[in-house]
Amino acid sequence: MIKKNLIFLVGFMGAGKSTIGLRLARDLKWNFIDLDQEIEKGEGRPIRQIFSEKGESYFRQLETKVLQGLKTRGPSVIALGGGAFIQDINRLLIHELGYSVFLDCALEVIVKRCPQDGTRPLLHSSGGLEALYTSRLPYYQKSDFRVDVSNQSPEQITKTILDHLSAGRIDDAHNINRPVDI
Ligand code: S3P
């Protein structure tokens, strides 16, 4: 069994990382951590403002910094931002600290789900979105486990992940009712 107590949800914007993460954390009685929210809390401003004022590379450094601080957080499900699994340094860290689950969502579904309302600074046009999606897939596929989320309900997706984990892939996930200190 892998002795790890952090589960990282990987995938493109709109794949459902936060929705599924909250459900998984609730069922496991683990903490839920949203990487973007942690960054916003630390910086005291929304992601789009961090991008516009400080630029993407500054934001990427923050992602790595928050990931490095997760060791001390106890059993947790972490929803990553869509770009966090692309940097080698982050993938290595995630691999060392926990177990990664790729929420594999078809591009058509992503396009429907992601409004280009400025909240996600990388969504400038649907053509750009498609290119970004295609360039990221090979990285997402390096995750430990992949779930197809395009045509499944959040309940089904969560169950698939829990069944997979309870087959002994991750420390303590076989006992999903064990309460943990938050
Ligand atoms: C990003 C995805 C966003 C957020 C930021 C950058 C990306 O998170 O981290 O806008 O590079 O794909 P979500 O995937 O939660 O939308």
Side-chain angles (χ1 to χ4, degrees):
M1 185 191 299
I2 303 165
K3 289 270 177 196
K4 290 172 177 173
N5 61 11
L6 297 177
I7 298 169
F8 293 89
L9 297 183
V10 174
F12 205 75
M13 293 170 256
K17 300 180 294 287
S18 303
T19 306
I20 303 300
L22 275 165
R23 283 177 171 271
L24 259 185
R26 185 195 61 196
D27 289 354
L28 288 164
K29 297 193 166 46
W30 286 12
N31 304 316
F32 173 69
I33 298 171
D34 183 302
L35 197 70
D36 285 345
Q37 279 177 13
E38 293 288 308
I39 291 172
E40 291 184 333
K41 242 190 286 170
E43 288 289 292
R45 52 195 158 160
I47 302 285
R48 77 182 135 67
Q49 204 177 338
I50 302 173
F51 266 74
S52 65
E53 291 176 4
K54 297 284 208 161
E56 181 173 351
S57 69
Y58 178 79
F59 172 77
R60 298 298 172 202
Q61 286 168 31
L62 294 177
E63 284 186 314
T64 304
K65 210 164 89 186
V66 175
L67 286 171
Q68 284 165 338
L70 291 177
K71 282 181 201 161
T72 55
R73 300 285 289 266
S76 308
V77 178
I78 299 112
L80 295 172
F85 206 63
I86 307 308
Q87 291 193 77
D88 293 348
I89 183 175
N90 295 349
R91 266 199 329 279
L92 283 172
L93 196 61
I94 289 165
H95 191 65
E96 182 193 311
L97 295 178
Y99 197 76
S100 50
V101 176
F102 170 30
L103 305 187
D104 192 357
C105 190
L107 182 62
E108 310 84 80
V109 179
I110 302 265
V111 169
K112 277 190 211 138
R113 284 192 194 160
C114 289
Q116 289 176 26
D117 57 5
T119 52
R120 288 174 162 109
L122 294 180
L123 294 186
H124 299 306
S125 67
S126 55
L129 185 146
E130 185 171 344
L132 192 63
Y133 177 91
T134 309
S135 70
R136 284 180 173 180
L137 272 183
Y139 296 97
Y140 294 154
Q141 279 157 354
K142 292 176 191 277
S143 301
D144 295 313
F145 180 56
R146 171 192 161 276
V147 198
D148 189 339
V149 301
S150 303
N151 298 305
Q152 292 195 82
S153 68
E155 290 84 350
Q156 286 170 318
I157 298 162
T158 308
K159 182 172 182 312
T160 304
I161 299 171
L162 284 173
D163 287 349
H164 175 77
L165 296 175
S166 61
R169 263 65 172 211
I170 192 159
D171 192 25
D172 286 341
H174 58 286
N175 182 4
I176 63 168
N177 292 317
R178 189 180 74 89
V180 294
D181 296 329
I182 296 181

